[in-house]
Amino acid sequence: MRSQRSTSGFASGKGLLALFALTILLPGVLLSAFGIRGLLHERQLAEQQVRERLDQTAAEIRRNLEFELRRWQQFLEEPPAAPSQDRYVSVGMREALIRHDGAVAMQQDHGRVSAFPPRRLLYRREAGPEPPGTSRSRELAAAESLELRERDLPRAIQAYEALLATVPAAARPLVIHRLARALRNAGRPEESLRRYRELVPYAGARIGLVPADLVGRFESCSIMAEMNSNDGPGAALALYQDLIEGRWDLEKPRYLFYADSARRWAERAPELSSTLQELRAREHQKAALTEKSFQALDEPRRDLSGENGIFLAFWRDRDNSRVVLILSPEYCRKELWPPILGNSSTAPIAVSIAAPGGRLFAGEPLTGSTGLSSTQTAADGGLSWQVSARPRDMQALDRGISWRQQLYLGMISLVIVMLGFGGYFLVRTVRREMEVARLKSGFVSTVSHEFRSPLTGIRQLANMLEQGRVPSDEKRQQYYTLMRRESDRLARLVENLLDFSRMEEGRREYRRDPIDVSAWLGGLAEEFRGDLSGQEARLETTIPENLPAICGDREALSTAVLNLLDNAVKYSLPPVTVRLEVEAAGTDISIRVRDKGIGISDEDQAHIFDKFFRGGSEATQTVRGAGLGLSLVQHIVTAHKGTLHVDSRPGEGSTFTIRLRSAT
Ligand code: ADP
């Protein structure tokens, strides 16, 4: 009967689990799977969208770049409108070239080099054309001879001064220069300085190969530096600036000589240092552009890299002429890239343009890439420029869909968590129910058995007595005692069952009477000894006199202690000795029931107070019991605000302790 019941319990449990799996778990899992698939799909879609945007951006920038490169190239292809530098006017890109001084167009025609816009370069590559030699008058030659050969400076000065009054205007600068020089050598710097200054207005004239105004200003600065004049550095700075601006068309060594000297003199005034620094930076930029232009004239190479980036160059060769357009990195940064790249510097997409050599040309380097990027190749006369676009801020790109993803994810997680909880509680409940079903079925068969054996005993004894088959009085007395004990046991069993059912229903009420512990337990021990008579068992007690009284339900507490004593006898092998000890400590009264019986395993100890639980050992199975005793004891003790404690080791015995509070 027991196995049948438990199998059907199992079956119903399994059925419930199957039903749960079919109706809740399966749809839940399917739903979650679809949700996750949807999420992944959405992610892919988002990536697709981002990719399309990247492609669009890269394509747009590629088109801009191609357009711009073509424009500049076409500009060079235009046939010259006029033999002069003004040919560039026709294309309307003149303004573009003029706007920023980082760009220059060079033309080399039969070896002659010209640049546009003029003054853009710092110096010329080769010496300029020899100016028509100024014929010297005899008087000048004589004066020079006095100065240089005879070293008679006073007379030479006189001769120059005399000459100055008579020479034609065109020859004046040369005479002024010689006079100034002689005065300086004669140790008359102030007068020399005045004379040199007279040269400054003669902008078109030359002294030898050098413009007269440059000579005038340079020598003035030199004298002022010698004299430590306060005006010296300022004049030198102005000279340096004019040299950088390209006021004079000088070849490189001459330029370097004048510029270095002027700068050195200007450096003497600390207050000019910041202006000087700016000028020097500008000189550097112009020098770089100048050098690159010469390089580009000689050899058409694409990779004209400089300190601050790459110079962009365009060539056109025709017959004996070559036209080259050079754009410096600064020019590209300020003029070329902004219209090509648009406002991409603030957009969520970062773009870059790599030169044909693979080096970054414009935009931002492709670092920290998310893996998503689009690269396009801009064709330019067979060369390829790589235009790349990648997301700068992936989140900004897909912010729109990310909240939806989070919502889905949250919902799926919630469903999974709820399913998990539901499943866990269901399994737990089913397990418990199955366990209770198993225990109950065991209980029914045990209880029936419990009833049957005393009843059988009583019936047999009663039969024998009825039929007068017990001759001696002594025997008869013994049988009566036996019948009473059996019926006592039955009564206790019934009492236990009734108590249990009342307890289960919550109907059990406990009285609160004062109890004299010594007298109560003494009486109880006597009663129990009576029950043991005729058995191989004895009870030893340690019950001190004058124990403090407690307050409680005497009957219920007696049931509890008797149950413990009963168990102690039941779960011991004969000859049985059971001890009942009472001890008072402060307000605590401990009632201890000790045996040297079979003991309880650790595993069983965790469950012995559960209803219907019976120990798993073989020895226990041979003993009668319904698994209710200890749960009843527990209930009674707890109702009296006491504690119940077990201390046991298999094979060594057990000690059950009830701890109650005294009434005082
Ligand atoms: P029952 O004795 O009817 O089985 P109880 O609730 O009184 O039910 O006890 C539960 C279980 O605890 C017993 O089946 C037994 O395994 C164990 N047990 C109780 N008291 C003792 C004891 N004194 N010695 C060994 N085992 C005990």
Side-chain angles (χ1 to χ4, degrees):
M1 179 178 161
R2 177 187 288 200
S3 66
Q4 221 177 12
R5 280 293 297 267
S6 60
T7 318
S8 78
F10 249 125
S12 72
K14 274 188 178 165
L16 210 60
L17 282 180
L19 195 69
F20 167 74
L22 208 70
T23 55
I24 299 177
L25 203 61
L26 193 66
V29 168
L30 282 178
L31 197 76
S32 305
F34 276 122
I36 286 168
R37 240 194 69 169
L39 263 181
L40 291 177
H41 186 63
E42 187 125 349
R43 181 90 241 152
Q44 278 170 354
L45 262 179
E47 275 190 17
Q48 184 63 30
Q49 275 173 10
V50 171
R51 208 164 270 138
E52 276 168 16
R53 271 187 73 181
L54 293 179
D55 285 347
Q56 274 171 12
T57 309
E60 195 182 311
I61 288 171
R62 175 182 55 80
R63 276 197 300 276
N64 290 349
L65 178 68
E66 281 174 350
F67 176 76
E68 204 63 22
L69 293 176
R70 213 166 27 243
R71 220 156 65 101
W72 284 107
Q73 195 63 49
Q74 274 172 5
F75 165 55
L76 292 185
E77 297 297 337
E78 291 270 317
S84 76
Q85 294 149 341
D86 283 345
R87 60 189 289 280
Y88 302 111
V89 176
S90 61
V91 198
M93 294 187 78
R94 185 193 163 109
E95 287 72 25
L97 272 182
I98 294 174
R99 196 158 47 231
H100 189 282
D101 63 5
V104 67
M106 311 274 290
Q107 182 170 14
Q108 189 171 38
D109 212 348
H110 289 91
R112 272 207 55 213
V113 177
S114 56
F116 178 83
R119 296 184 176 195
R120 182 100 333 153
L121 301 186
L122 211 49
Y123 39 74
R124 262 190 292 123
R125 184 159 57 161
E126 60 288 293
E130 198 69 25
T134 36
S135 57
R136 277 180 212 160
S137 62
R138 239 176 343 110
E139 290 83 355
L140 182 60
E144 278 185 334
S145 169
L146 277 175
E147 180 199 354
L148 301 173
R149 210 165 295 150
E150 295 176 30
R151 300 206 176 275
D152 189 348
L153 291 176
R155 280 186 54 211
I157 291 169
Q158 272 180 2
Y160 285 137
E161 278 173 341
L163 201 57
L164 208 53
T166 56
V167 288
R172 266 183 82 81
L174 200 61
V175 179
I176 296 174
H177 173 255
R178 301 298 195 255
L179 177 56
R181 184 174 70 190
L183 282 168
R184 189 175 184 186
N185 288 336
R188 291 154 65 182
E190 279 95 351
E191 289 164 77
S192 172
L193 180 62
R194 214 178 55 235
R195 288 299 180 184
Y196 271 127
R197 279 184 179 149
E198 279 175 23
L199 277 180
V200 177
Y202 292 98
R206 284 181 177 265
I207 313 286
L209 292 176
V210 187
D213 57 339
L214 172 58
V215 173
R217 285 175 65 180
F218 180 79
E219 296 296 341
S220 313
C221 288
S222 164
I223 292 172
M224 282 191 281
E226 243 170 46
M227 291 165 52
N228 263 332
S229 154
N230 285 344
D231 301 335
L237 186 82
L239 175 62
Y240 183 44
Q241 184 164 14
D242 282 349
L243 280 163
I244 292 172
E245 294 306 334
R247 187 186 187 113
W248 300 285
D249 187 20
L250 304 170
E251 61 269 31
K252 187 172 177 179
R254 216 178 284 275
Y255 169 84
L256 290 178
F257 169 71
Y258 287 124
D260 284 350
S261 308
R263 196 182 60 246
R264 263 202 328 277
W265 293 326
E267 274 166 2
R268 293 187 183 182
E271 69 273 14
L272 299 180
S273 72
S274 69
T275 322
L276 256 180
Q277 238 170 15
E278 281 167 29
L279 285 175
R280 200 153 168 64
R282 201 168 142 62
E283 186 186 20
H284 268 309
Q285 277 187 6
K286 277 189 91 165
L289 183 72
T290 308
E291 288 298 329
K292 290 297 163 194
S293 309
F294 296 158
Q295 202 182 332
L297 269 183
D298 293 341
E299 30 170 333
R301 279 199 301 119
R302 269 292 175 181
D303 188 9
L304 289 174
S305 45
E307 264 172 48
N308 298 322
I310 304 170
F311 288 80
L312 186 53
F314 301 86
W315 284 266
R316 199 224 60 200
D317 284 322
R318 188 174 293 151
D319 304 331
N320 282 323
S321 78
R322 161 175 290 176
V323 183
V324 182
L325 180 73
I326 311 286
L327 306 178
S328 73
E330 302 85 46
Y331 182 90
C332 293
R333 247 192 316 276
K334 290 220 173 81
E335 304 286 333
L336 186 68
W337 301 133
I340 292 179
L341 297 177
N343 60 351
S344 63
S345 64
T346 52
I349 293 176
V351 291
S352 69
I353 299 175
R359 297 207 299 142
L360 182 71
F361 199 39
E364 298 163 44
L366 283 169
T367 51
S369 171
T370 53
L372 274 185
S373 70
S374 169
T375 300
Q376 301 221 353
T377 304
D380 160 39
L383 294 163
S384 55
W385 302 79
Q386 300 288 325
V387 178
S388 304
R390 70 183 159 82
R392 176 178 290 126
D393 181 4
M394 191 66 195
Q395 273 178 356
L397 282 177
D398 62 8
R399 194 161 287 148
I401 53 164
S402 88
W403 75 264
R404 224 171 27 236
Q405 286 186 338
Q406 276 169 5
L407 189 75
Y408 287 171
L409 212 64
M411 275 163 61
I412 289 171
S413 312
L414 195 72
V415 167
I416 289 173
V417 167
M418 280 169 66
L419 279 179
F421 267 114
Y424 170 73
F425 282 117
L426 193 79
V427 168
R428 216 176 70 151
T429 313
V430 167
R431 271 225 187 124
R432 277 200 182 160
E433 286 305 315
M434 280 160 61
E435 182 64 12
V436 169
R438 190 181 68 76
L439 290 172
K440 269 185 183 164
S441 77
F443 169 75
V444 170
S445 73
T446 322
V447 167
S448 335
H449 191 71
E450 286 275 282
F451 273 100
R452 199 165 54 193
S453 43
L455 279 176
T456 314
I458 291 171
R459 200 169 52 214
Q460 277 173 358
L461 292 174
N463 266 345
M464 283 166 74
L465 288 170
E466 193 180 42
Q467 290 163 13
R469 287 198 281 134
V470 187
S472 80
D473 273 355
E474 194 190 343
K475 247 321 184 227
R476 255 199 308 277
Q477 196 53 46
Q478 205 180 345
Y479 283 6
Y480 289 140
T481 312
L482 267 177
M483 282 169 70
R484 195 220 1 108
R485 200 186 296 150
E486 287 298 282
S487 42
D488 274 355
R489 256 189 56 199
L490 266 182
R492 207 149 56 228
L493 191 60
V494 171
E495 229 20 77
N496 265 357
L497 285 174
L498 283 176
D499 274 351
F500 180 75
S501 86
R502 266 182 292 209
M503 192 180 84
E504 279 286 275
E505 289 165 17
R507 285 192 293 113
R508 181 74 165 96
E509 279 175 12
Y510 297 98
R511 301 161 62 93
R512 291 185 57 74
D513 298 328
I515 303 171
D516 172 352
V517 178
S518 309
W520 161 56
L521 285 178
L524 205 66
E526 278 317 308
E527 191 183 320
F528 191 70
R529 277 198 187 99
D531 291 348
L532 290 182
S533 62
Q535 292 183 47
E536 260 186 284
R538 62 196 185 88
L539 172 70
E540 291 176 359
T541 56
T542 309
I543 305 173
E545 294 290 313
N546 301 326
L547 283 167
I550 56 168
C551 214
D553 190 319
R554 177 193 279 264
E555 205 185 309
L557 288 172
S558 300
T559 307
V561 177
L562 283 176
N563 263 309
L564 292 182
L565 290 170
D566 244 2
N567 280 352
V569 176
K570 259 174 25 183
Y571 299 108
S572 299
L573 301 173
V576 181
T577 305
V578 174
R579 290 195 58 80
L580 172 65
E581 299 166 0
V582 190
E583 190 183 77
T587 54
D588 276 354
I589 292 182
S590 301
I591 303 166
R592 223 165 265 132
V593 177
R594 268 184 214 284
D595 65 61
K596 292 199 164 28
I598 59 171
I600 310 165
S601 69
D602 284 348
E603 197 190 329
D604 281 358
Q605 278 184 34
H607 302 290
I608 51 175
F609 301 110
D610 296 347
K611 58 189 177 186
F612 305 126
F613 179 84
R614 300 219 61 220
S617 72
E618 235 173 80
T620 312
Q621 301 302 322
T622 58
V623 178
R624 287 175 310 183
L628 289 181
L630 286 183
S631 64
L632 205 62
V633 176
Q634 172 85 288
H635 192 271
I636 293 166
V637 171
T638 311
H640 284 80
K641 297 199 170 54
T643 58
L644 175 62
H645 176 76
V646 65
D647 184 14
S648 175
R649 263 203 222 138
E652 290 182 19
S654 315
T655 304
F656 284 85
T657 309
I658 296 174
R659 195 164 286 139
L660 296 169
R661 289 230 138 171
S662 67
T664 48

